[in-house]
């Protein structure tokens, strides 16, 4: 149980375009979803936390207008990287949890390459 | 603010060797502690977790970890590693006053030689 999927697994885009990444909880209702960024050979850095039906809470230094997060339902959250630039190239990972549960379940990640 | 450190960046062992990966955190309050593993090309998987009770917790695949509150440590151990344990290991801390947010350590890459 507690499976999280992400789509796409890998995306390549041109600089200046926007990219949407989906995160879905397949067998549970995720009241909270988290978005992380992982640089090569580095740890996960939390970007933002989103609760279903409310605005995401962004970590310091993360541009909310650049990384748009929507958590419209209990099984889906989306991260849109707007006007992507090569420095946005990274591995983006989502995780999900539910109220009262202290464990996060991670998706497989999405590799974004901006040319 | 919370922070998590892991002692080793890269550990190389031969099969059947014993493993201990260090993890220390900086937070004085009540915490939940986790070890996650990321196999090459795969997503993060939970190895084990500590919430309360017995400070020695056992996880999957023969791993265990010991919470030593006085040392702010949560070291991961395995008595005999296998080639298939080659992966990146992340320690994570969730402080009770920080909601569900996790802080991850920088990770330790384990390479097991056949």
């Amino acid at each position: 149980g507690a499976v999280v999927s992400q789509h796409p697994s890998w995306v390549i885009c041109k600089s200046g375009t926007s990219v949407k990444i989906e995160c879905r909880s397949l067998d549970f209702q995720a009241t909270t979803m988290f978005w992380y960024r992982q640089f090569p050979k580095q740890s996960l850095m939390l970007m933002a936390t989103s609760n279903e039906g409310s605005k995401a809470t962004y970590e310091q230094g993360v541009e909310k207008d650049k990384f748009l997060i929507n958590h419209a339902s209990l099984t889906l959250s989306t991260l849109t990287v707007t006007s992507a630039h090569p420095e946005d190239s990274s591995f983006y990972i989502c995780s999900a949890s539910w109220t009262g549960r202290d464990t996060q379940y991670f998706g497989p990640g999405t590799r974004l390459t901006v040319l | 603010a919370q922070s998590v450190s892991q002692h080793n960046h890269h550990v190389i062992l031969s099969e059947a060797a014993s493993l201990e990966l260090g993890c220390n955190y900086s937070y004085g309050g009540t915490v939940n502690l986790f070890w996650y593993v990321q196999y090459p090309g795969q997503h993060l998987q939970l190895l084990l977790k500590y919430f309360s009770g017995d400070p020695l917790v056992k996880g999957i695949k023969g791993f265990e970890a010991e919470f030593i509150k006085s040392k702010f440590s949560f070291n991961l151990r395995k008595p005999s590693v296998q080639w298939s344990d080659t992966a990146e290991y992340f320690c994570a801390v969730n402080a009770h006053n920080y909601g569900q947010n996790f802080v991850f350590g920088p990770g330790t890459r384990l390479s097991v030689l056949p």
Side-chain angles (χ1 to χ4, degrees):
Chain A
V3 178
V4 177
S5 70
Q6 282 184 241
H7 177 80
S9 56
W10 192 10
V11 57
I12 302 173
C13 69
K14 292 182 178 180
S15 186
T17 60
S18 294
V19 174
K20 180 184 283 188
I21 303 170
E22 292 185 350
C23 176
R24 292 182 185 274
S25 57
L26 299 185
D27 52 2
F28 65 98
Q29 293 187 322
T31 49
T32 305
M33 285 187 168
F34 304 84
W35 285 96
Y36 294 85
R37 187 171 176 176
Q38 186 180 28
F39 291 100
K41 298 183 179 181
Q42 294 189 30
S43 188
L44 285 76
M45 300 298 294
L46 180 65
M47 298 174 66
T49 303
S50 73
N51 293 296
E52 184 264 339
S54 60
K55 290 184 178 181
T57 301
Y58 289 80
E59 294 298 301
Q60 194 171 13
V62 178
E63 299 176 60
K64 60 179 69 175
D65 294 331
K66 180 166 186 63
F67 298 100
L68 302 178
I69 292 172
N70 185 289
H71 191 165
S73 78
L74 285 171
T75 59
L76 173 65
S77 176
T78 61
L79 167 68
T80 302
V81 183
T82 62
S83 186
H85 289 106
E87 58 265 29
D88 298 325
S89 298
S90 190
F91 198 55
Y92 292 88
I93 302 173
C94 75
S95 71
S97 186
W98 59 90
T99 303
R101 183 70 174 171
D102 291 324
T103 301
Q104 294 182 22
Y105 298 92
F106 286 83
T110 297
R111 184 166 301 284
L112 170 64
T113 301
V114 184
L115 303 177
Chain B
Q2 304 173 72
S3 69
V4 180
S5 63
Q6 291 182 237
H7 301 172
N8 308 96
H9 178 64
H10 191 188
V11 173
I12 302 173
L13 295 173
S14 297
E15 275 195 314
S18 64
L19 169 72
E20 180 160 1
L21 302 182
C23 171
N24 286 88
Y25 64 93
S26 63
Y27 183 70
T30 305
V31 295
N32 296 329
L33 300 158
F34 305 81
W35 275 97
Y36 282 87
V37 61
Q38 188 174 31
Y39 297 103
Q42 296 189 31
H43 63 282
L44 281 165
Q45 299 175 41
L46 181 65
L47 265 182
L48 48 79
K49 59 189 177 186
Y50 170 80
F51 286 175
S52 64
D54 189 344
L56 184 62
V57 292
K58 295 190 183 298
I60 61 172
K61 305 184 180 186
F63 287 91
E64 64 178 31
E66 184 175 13
F67 170 49
I68 303 179
K69 188 174 181 179
S70 61
K71 296 184 177 180
F72 299 89
S73 70
F74 190 55
N75 292 357
L76 180 71
R77 299 194 292 250
K78 185 170 184 178
S80 177
V81 295
Q82 301 172 310
W83 177 79
S84 58
D85 293 324
T86 295
E88 190 91 20
Y89 292 81
F90 294 95
C91 180
V93 174
N94 165 238
H96 285 196
N97 289 342
Y98 283 83
Q100 291 176 299
N101 290 6
F102 281 21
V103 175
F104 282 84
T108 297
R109 181 175 298 276
L110 173 65
S111 298
V112 181
L113 307 177

